[in-house]
Amino acid sequence: MNARAIPPAALRDASAVELARVWIAEQGLHCSLKCGLYAEGDVETETAAWGIILADLAGHIADALSADGLGGEGALLDAIVESFNIEVSAPTSKRTRGPTSDAN
């Protein structure tokens, strides 16, 4: 397995929660998600939180690509957002729902 390291802050914080794992396996994208953490009976709060999480993740990706010398952070983030919007509008693959767990 080529798993990523747990960030030091998550190891230090007893209240840390893992929200997502994303894998490329069997020629496809596979995810394990913890949804509902922010819902509190309000879908708008949950969806807003995931929008912020995805935007922050995109920023981290742009920062990492920039640190690897692949371009400026702003241009890279714009390219990620453009690709995201295209994929949302016209998905290149079909999502299938995997098993769920009460451990959410």
Side-chain angles (χ1 to χ4, degrees):
M1 293 240 138
N2 190 4
R4 304 294 78 203
I6 298 172
L11 292 172
R12 290 189 301 268
D13 185 348
S15 299
V17 177
E18 185 174 50
L19 297 177
R21 284 192 174 208
V22 181
W23 294 87
I24 299 294
E26 298 177 353
Q27 301 177 340
L29 183 73
H30 301 268
C31 304
S32 174
L33 303 171
K34 181 172 182 64
C35 292
L37 184 66
Y38 299 99
E40 300 172 6
D42 179 0
V43 69
E44 288 83 16
T45 302
E46 180 74 12
T47 56
W50 277 101
I52 292 166
I53 291 164
L54 290 172
D56 195 32
L57 182 60
H60 283 287
I61 294 167
D63 291 347
L65 293 173
S66 181
D68 284 346
L70 298 176
E73 293 170 19
L76 291 164
L77 182 58
D78 288 345
I80 292 167
V81 170
E82 180 180 358
S83 180
F84 175 90
N85 288 333
I86 291 168
E87 183 66 19
V88 167
S89 297
T92 56
S93 63
K94 187 174 187 173
R95 285 185 303 277
T96 57
R97 186 174 191 163
T100 58
S101 167
D102 292 339
N104 284 348

